[in-house]
Amino acid sequence: MDKNIIIIGAGPTGIGAALRLHQLGHRHWTLLEAGPEAGGLASTVTDSKGFLWDMGGHVIFSHYKYFDDVLDASVPSWRYHQRESWVWMKERFLPYPFQNNIHRLPPADTLRCIRGLLSAEKGKLLGTRPRSFQDWIDANFGVGIAELFLNPYNMKVWGFSPNSMTADWMGERVPTIDLSRIVENILLDRDDVSWGPNAQFRFPEHGGTGAIWRSACSLLPQERVHCNTEVVEIDCDRRDVTTKSSEHLSYDCILNTMPLDVLLRRLRGSQLDGVMSAADKLVHSSTHIVGLGMDGQVPQHLEGKCWMYFAEDDCPFYRATVFSHYSSANVAKPGQQWSLMFEICESSQQPALADPVQATIEGALNTGLISGRDSIVSQFHIRLEYGYPTPFLGRNELLDSVQPQLRERAIYSRGRFGGWKYEVGNQDHSLMQGVEAVDSMLFGVEEQTYFYPDHVNTRKETTRRFTLSRDA
């Protein structure tokens, strides 16, 4: 059957679905994007002074050859970086991961962390499954690291207590414990810098992260891509989509990428009460992106650093990125300017700041990121209502109830907020959720990324490849 497929949203997931349909030669599909261009949360903004800002500290890394192929087809020129991430603590920088570098702490704090680690190591023999993220932190890191870094940092980044979050999302997101390595680092006074799945990453030479998705969208037949077209209602009984301009579109299947709670509130039809009521139970936080563009050169103590984590209360931001390090084209005057991009959480438990920009400048001064205000030539701020999909307690049970009911109505809700799974919310995961949803719609192939995060996050998937024939 040549199904008529509507894709809602032109972020990485929607673009992934559209590219797959185009690659397969499927003729009946439409991509609807509420904004003026493709990208979604992976967009890039150029401010009035010519500085570029991503919508967060996006780093490109990949679990999929298909994703790599799309990047290669979309962006001709890349910058390649060795990850250097750091933690600001006790008026000094420690290389990340924090636990591997506690030798840089004051001796009393190092001892406190070691005692907690040893206690946690003994507790592992009990083999108790953690109920919450807090239980997972305590069981793996002990009270010292928990109280000094992990608890305050996670409250700052999520806006919710780790006690209210599940541990199911962890996977490769947080480095676990290698106690012998930690002890060696202390005895040898040795730094341990490049950890993680994104120890190396690439970044577009021009246009920021948003350039990837604008370019990928340009590979599609433009007559099927409709920007500035917001979906305001979906009638599940009549299989009809209504746009803000009152246009009606029929469908056989929908790939939705707008936030799941928004989708649920826009559904119409019979026997939907149980589904729609789930919208109020989904938890998320908002993010403020603040950018500071400076004249001059990057300070020596920040050279080579990619991003830094901040757990203490001397600044409002939880992460700062030396954004000019990613590409010299991210500033208005390459070689003469540099830039810092900051992220601040807002949630029901962490209210918004009265003036995020000025609070950020004060925090940057407190933490030594900048030495004064005189060199600041650009100030940027944007609030993203949907920043992080919180892995709240009961999330999996809620999704396990809602998603099958949507599927019965031919709706696949995928992506960072469409699927509401942070553990598969990176750009590579998001694109592949769109690709795999299309293969499920057309061929009945079981989706892997959305339903088996632990599996996809421990391997490189190489079977699917992206190519476009001359006739596509």
Side-chain angles (χ1 to χ4, degrees):
M1 178 182 177
D2 197 6
K3 295 180 179 179
N4 182 23
I5 298 171
I6 290 180
I7 304 165
I8 302 175
T13 306
I15 293 294
L19 287 172
R20 185 62 166 172
L21 288 164
H22 186 40
Q23 177 187 9
L24 295 171
H26 193 82
R27 300 297 180 185
H28 299 288
W29 60 269
T30 305
L31 174 57
L32 307 177
E33 165 56 43
E37 63 180 12
L41 289 175
S43 299
T44 302
V45 173
T46 302
D47 70 18
S48 61
K49 300 298 177 63
F51 287 80
L52 273 64
W53 307 107
D54 276 1
M55 300 297 99
H58 301 306
V59 175
I60 301 291
F61 65 100
S62 174
H63 297 87
Y64 311 89
K65 283 298 295 180
Y66 194 101
F67 180 74
D68 298 336
D69 293 338
V70 171
L71 297 188
D72 292 339
S74 301
V75 177
S77 182
W78 295 89
R79 290 283 303 274
Y80 291 85
H81 299 283
Q82 186 72 23
R83 164 183 172 155
E84 271 201 38
S85 52
W86 297 74
V87 176
W88 175 257
M89 176 74 64
K90 302 290 182 178
E91 299 185 338
R92 68 197 70 189
F93 279 116
L94 289 73
Y96 185 84
F98 178 82
Q99 66 273 13
N100 286 10
N101 296 286
I102 55 176
H103 63 279
R104 284 202 178 202
L105 291 170
D109 289 315
T110 300
L111 180 59
R112 180 183 174 195
C113 291
I114 283 293
R115 284 174 173 165
L117 287 165
L118 292 172
S119 178
E121 195 70 17
K122 293 177 182 177
K124 288 179 183 177
L125 298 174
L126 299 175
T128 304
R129 180 178 175 82
R131 185 191 72 90
S132 69
F133 183 30
Q134 185 67 64
D135 292 340
W136 186 90
I137 290 172
D138 293 342
N140 283 278
F141 295 89
V143 68
I145 291 176
E147 293 181 351
L148 197 62
F149 175 59
L150 285 175
N151 288 354
Y153 175 74
N154 279 289
M155 184 67 202
K156 210 172 184 184
V157 68
W158 290 103
F160 297 98
S161 166
N163 272 315
S164 66
M165 297 166 59
T166 179
D168 295 336
W169 63 276
M170 296 304 301
E172 61 182 7
R173 290 288 186 167
V174 177
T176 50
I177 294 298
D178 183 339
L179 191 55
S180 63
R181 184 171 176 173
I182 293 170
V183 172
E184 284 182 17
N185 290 343
I186 293 171
L187 294 175
L188 299 175
D189 195 29
R190 179 180 66 192
D191 285 343
D192 209 345
V193 180
S194 292
W195 169 89
N198 48 348
Q200 291 183 320
F201 65 96
R202 57 173 160 166
F203 192 85
E205 182 75 42
H206 300 283
T209 297
I212 301 168
W213 305 108
R214 292 192 300 272
S215 181
C217 187
S218 72
L219 300 175
L220 299 168
Q222 295 304 293
E223 68 273 12
R224 294 182 186 157
V225 179
H226 303 273
C227 292
N228 297 306
T229 306
E230 182 180 357
V231 171
V232 296
E233 185 175 289
I234 300 171
D235 189 316
C236 299
D237 294 339
R238 296 175 55 237
R239 299 283 176 96
D240 178 82
V241 165
T242 305
T243 69
K244 194 172 184 178
S245 62
S246 299
E247 182 182 6
H248 288 266
L249 301 168
S250 62
Y251 68 88
D252 294 309
C253 291
I254 286 177
L255 185 283
N256 168 71
T257 73
M258 69 173 128
L260 181 57
D261 57 343
V262 176
L263 167 70
L264 296 179
R265 293 187 178 104
R266 296 184 182 184
L267 296 180
R268 301 292 181 268
S270 57
Q271 299 181 334
L272 284 172
D273 291 347
V275 179
M276 295 173 67
S277 64
D280 295 330
K281 300 173 184 177
L282 291 161
V283 182
H284 74 278
S285 61
S286 303
T287 302
H288 293 261
I289 308 298
V290 175
L292 299 180
M294 272 77 64
D295 276 338
Q297 304 299 314
V298 179
Q300 186 175 3
H301 70 290
L302 296 182
E303 287 183 357
K305 290 182 171 64
C306 298
W307 64 89
M308 297 147 283
Y309 302 110
F310 297 83
E312 297 173 312
D313 59 6
D314 54 358
C315 63
F317 43 84
Y318 58 84
R319 181 165 56 188
T321 300
V322 186
F323 201 48
S324 53
H325 175 61
Y326 288 9
S327 173
S328 59
N330 287 344
V331 300
K333 300 176 182 178
Q336 303 176 49
Q337 295 174 324
W338 66 289
S339 60
L340 284 167
M341 182 173 62
F342 305 85
E343 294 160 90
I344 303 169
C345 173
E346 175 192 334
S347 73
S348 59
Q349 296 182 21
Q350 195 160 288
L353 299 168
D355 190 335
V357 174
Q358 292 308 311
T360 294
I361 293 173
E362 290 294 334
L365 290 166
N366 292 341
T367 55
L369 295 176
I370 60 175
S371 58
R373 300 172 182 264
D374 292 344
S375 63
I376 300 173
V377 296
S378 177
Q379 300 177 17
F380 172 82
H381 171 242
I382 188 171
R383 178 184 181 274
L384 307 175
E385 171 60 36
Y386 289 87
Y388 282 75
T390 310
F392 57 93
L393 290 173
R395 180 204 66 171
N396 290 353
E397 292 78 7
L398 184 67
L399 294 177
D400 288 346
S401 171
V402 168
Q403 290 287 13
Q405 295 183 67
L406 292 176
R407 179 72 176 272
E408 289 174 2
R409 294 163 174 82
I411 298 173
Y412 292 65
S413 194
R414 302 290 184 265
R416 182 177 176 91
F417 276 98
W420 219 276
K421 287 187 177 181
Y422 174 75
E423 58 269 39
V424 282
N426 287 339
Q427 292 175 83
D428 63 328
H429 299 121
S430 296
L431 177 131
M432 289 307 297
Q433 286 187 50
V435 171
E436 292 174 10
V438 164
D439 285 357
S440 176
M441 291 176 190
L442 298 182
F443 311 119
V445 177
E446 185 179 23
E447 299 169 79
Q448 297 296 308
T449 300
Y450 186 71
F451 293 106
Y452 305 103
D454 289 343
H455 177 64
V456 299
N457 282 331
T458 56
R459 59 195 275 271
K460 182 87 170 186
E461 203 282 322
T462 61
T463 55
R464 284 188 185 87
R465 301 298 300 268
F466 173 74
T467 57
L468 283 180
S469 68
R470 293 181 180 179
D471 296 329

